[in-house]
Amino acid sequence: MGGIIECNKFNWNISVHINMEKRLRFIRLASFVLIVGISGVKTEYGIDGIAGSRAPCPVEGQPVKVDHIDKSNCFSCICKNGFVECKSDMYCPPREGCHMIVETSRDQCCRKCKGCTYRNKHYESHTEWTDPENPCKVMRCEAGVVTVSDLQCYTPCANPLPPEPGKCCPTCPECKINGQEATDDRDVISDDHCLKCRCNKGKMTCSKQACPVLQCTARSQYHPPGECCPVCRGTRAVLTVAKTCRLQEIFMREGEKFSIDKCTNCTCLDETSICHRSACPVLDCAPDLQKSVPGSCCKQCIMPEEVRTQCSQGGRSCKCHRGMPSCAMTRCNVTLPCAPGTKLVHLPGECCEKCVEVEGVCMVFGDPHYKTFDGKIYTFQGLGKYMLISECKSQSFSIRVANDFPNKISKTYAITKRVAVRYGDIRLNLQQKGRIKLNRKKIMLPYKKDGKLRIEKKNGNVEVFLQNGVKIFWSGKSFLEVTVPATYKNKLCGLCGNFNGNVQDDLKTKRGHLVRDSEILSFGGSWCAGSKATCAASSRNTKQLARTTFCSNYRPEKNQKNRCKFLGNPELVGECGSKLNYFKYYRTCKMDMCKCPNGKCYCDSLMAYARECEKLGVKLPEDWKVKSLCDDEKIKRPKLVKKPSFTTVDIQKYIKQNHFNRTRNPLMIH
């Protein structure tokens, strides 16, 4: 019996010890969370990514397998611009400003900002919803905190329409406030920056709601200029404890109530801080007249003693209200980052920036090297005429190139010597040295035609602008660049590829067969333009040129510099080396410099690399052409003054005047 008593006593001691240990562990963990929450602030930008330097890669657009990166199943890597570029296969919500980042398991790809649980339903952070039974009650989740507030409606029109089904506020039949027009892509903000008006199908709704309760402390908050509410700066990761809530520096148990200020009352429910906050009335006075009043949660309009009867305010649409200006202005809606293949641009005539699809660019340079619309670089030394670009179905637009030897002496390589453009009734021929023919007649530059065509000459280069948005850049020698708008996606064919965003299927023949890189002659030959006899002759000449092994390993002579190294010189290409790998352009440069007659065959590869750098936003030195000796401008040298020539009569006269003897040495006249 005693043994049993001792045993029970021992179990009771263990139970007491375990309960005490749990309490101590909870207290230590809570203290640790508070410490981390207060001092563990760090700044992070963007979505989850991979740290480290980018590795070069040889095949543009080819998938690259990288096994040693953490969570490799979350990323896919391809070769882009000569570097291995990895991106997340799934969208990770933005975390900037989140002070409640929660850790995820190893099989999850994103670190997320803590969401909220409200009435047994989970909501992601940065989401907003309304009460189905009361559309005027708005809830917003921010980093584990739900802010509950009532909308304040505002109707800046004389005859508002009743609220639409499921909506809180009346609508105005016109999308205007103080003369400013709201559209689907921009809001109108007034003197009260918390009042927002948005247009939907020609009707405008204006409302004001309370600012969300923030997870960060006041010292980590800042107020962006012109914005209604403060936001958190930086991010913070914390450990969470079951059946508890954490808000700023406050740590509460499930079911407890607390306040963070005199206007905000909160309750810890389902590990979420549910905070109720009232929206303030709409203010119709200038910002400098909006003052805080003791004992009130909201600012009020404090009017000056001297009230004017007239008022004006430059730069914004204003009306005079109680002798003071009440103004409104438009603001573009904040959108997510542009999707891959698109870019943010400011279109002419538009108020706000929009995400639009990127243009396609194809280049031909050197002994002809081709860079397709989708980014593949290959070499096809085809002699003859070839279809470079064609609108495959309607054939309403096409560009052909004529490749030939540069001159009668140099027959070891070919260049693009002429370009033929067909668009509608336009037949444009771009020739050597900048000569232009339009419908078989020579024209002088600049030239315009009925809005369909515009041709200019800048720095020795010819630039063509077609009505369909196509732009052509021709050096007048052997460099050609064609830019087409995104409307031509999946509609083109030819040596420049199909412009579908996939670099892997650019080598499609005229009959639609996809060939390998080793079958370039077959691919290029299929796009020969002309009769069967002409194309057969071009094929024979091309094969004969391809068999000429003149460029097995180019090395400059002892007294000659390796001009291809200009591609990696920061003085010429700026910081482009970090954005675009120059390896492929260096390889085309070395090919072109073999048996180079004038020593400047590197200039086309350098031009191609420089123009790609500019498209990536790199600002190149203005004198890069001069420093690389690729400047086409001829150096003006002073004219030599010819010395006078002396006739025999002049010499005889000179000898007689100076009494020279004929037996003396003859006088040397320079």
Side-chain angles (χ1 to χ4, degrees), residues 551-568:
C551 192
S552 58
N553 189 14
Y554 162 70
R555 289 184 180 180
E557 298 178 2
K558 291 183 179 180
N559 59 346
Q560 185 183 14
K561 292 183 179 179
N562 184 1
R563 304 294 187 188
C564 294
K565 289 187 176 180
F566 282 143
L567 289 162

Side-chain angles (χ1 to χ4, degrees), residues 320-370:
C320 194
H321 182 73
R322 290 189 287 179
M324 298 300 292
S326 177
C327 304
M329 61 184 296
T330 58
R331 182 180 63 180
C332 298
N333 295 333
V334 179
T335 59
L336 293 174
C338 293
T342 63
K343 61 180 179 179
L344 193 66
V345 297
H346 203 150
L347 298 175
E350 294 286 343
C351 172
C352 302
E353 294 180 325
K354 292 184 177 180
C355 293
V356 298
E357 291 188 291
V358 296
E359 300 171 321
V361 180
C362 177
M363 290 193 297
V364 186
F365 57 98
D367 184 9
H369 313 291
Y370 299 82

Side-chain angles (χ1 to χ4, degrees), residues 159-380:
N159 300 307
L161 302 174
E164 296 179 355
K167 301 293 183 181
C168 173
C169 299
T171 58
C172 290
E174 289 185 346
C175 295
K176 289 184 178 180
I177 175 172
N178 284 10
Q180 290 285 354
E181 185 173 354
T183 60
D184 292 338
D185 64 338
R186 55 176 176 161
D187 294 330
V188 173
I189 56 175
S190 62
D191 289 326
D192 190 340
H193 292 158
C194 296
L195 175 66
K196 293 184 179 179
C197 299
R198 179 164 294 186
C199 185
N200 184 23
K201 297 180 180 180
K203 299 178 182 179
M204 186 175 66
T205 304
C206 299
S207 62
K208 178 179 180 178
Q209 66 187 74
C211 290
V213 177
L214 299 179
Q215 185 66 258
C216 59
T217 58
R219 58 177 173 270
S220 297
Q221 298 177 13
Y222 77 102
H223 211 127
E227 295 291 335
C228 167
C229 302
V231 295
C232 292
R233 191 193 304 270
T235 59
R236 175 169 52 188
V238 297
L239 296 176
T240 58
V241 181
K243 296 184 179 181
T244 61
C245 297
R246 175 191 167 279
L247 177 56
Q248 298 181 2
E249 296 180 346
I250 303 173
F251 190 82
M252 303 301 294
R253 293 178 180 272
E254 185 77 10
E256 291 186 339
K257 297 182 179 182
F258 57 99
S259 299
I260 59 172
D261 56 49
K262 61 183 179 181
C263 303
T264 308
N265 299 316
C266 305
T267 305
C268 179
L269 295 174
D270 297 323
E271 300 180 7
T272 301
S273 299
I274 311 296
C275 298
H276 291 264
R277 177 179 279 183
S278 299
C280 295
V282 177
L283 300 178
D284 55 1
C285 59
D288 55 346
L289 300 179
Q290 299 172 11
K291 307 293 183 180
S292 298
V293 178
S296 175
C297 296
C298 300
K299 290 184 178 181
Q300 298 179 10
C301 289
I302 306 300
M303 305 305 296
E305 295 181 1
E306 182 180 349
V307 178
R308 295 171 290 177
T309 57
Q310 294 182 349
C311 52
S312 63
Q313 191 85 1
R316 297 182 293 175
S317 298
C318 304
K319 68 178 181 179
C320 194
H321 182 73
R322 290 189 287 179
M324 298 300 292
S326 177
C327 304
M329 61 184 296
T330 58
R331 182 180 63 180
C332 298
N333 295 333
V334 179
T335 59
L336 293 174
C338 293
T342 63
K343 61 180 179 179
L344 193 66
V345 297
H346 203 150
L347 298 175
E350 294 286 343
C351 172
C352 302
E353 294 180 325
K354 292 184 177 180
C355 293
V356 298
E357 291 188 291
V358 296
E359 300 171 321
V361 180
C362 177
M363 290 193 297
V364 186
F365 57 98
D367 184 9
H369 313 291
Y370 299 82
K371 184 178 185 295
T372 67
F373 289 120
D374 295 328
K376 186 177 184 63
I377 297 179
Y378 66 92
T379 300
F380 172 60

Side-chain angles (χ1 to χ4, degrees), residues 420-475:
V421 182
R422 184 172 65 84
Y423 172 57
D425 60 348
I426 294 174
R427 301 293 184 270
L428 187 66
N429 197 281
L430 310 179
Q431 301 177 348
Q432 292 286 296
K433 298 181 180 180
R435 291 190 290 265
I436 310 292
K437 281 188 177 181
L438 178 62
N439 297 334
R440 299 185 178 182
K441 293 182 180 179
K442 291 184 179 179
I443 59 173
M444 302 298 294
L445 303 183
Y447 180 86
K448 290 184 179 180
K449 182 184 179 182
D450 303 331
K452 294 183 178 180
L453 174 68
R454 178 166 57 91
I455 310 175
E456 299 176 354
K457 196 168 187 179
K458 294 182 180 179
N459 301 323
N461 303 307
V462 177
E463 296 183 15
V464 181
F465 304 88
L466 300 179
Q467 189 180 29
N468 59 354
V470 174
K471 294 176 284 187
I472 302 170
F473 178 92
W474 170 242
S475 68

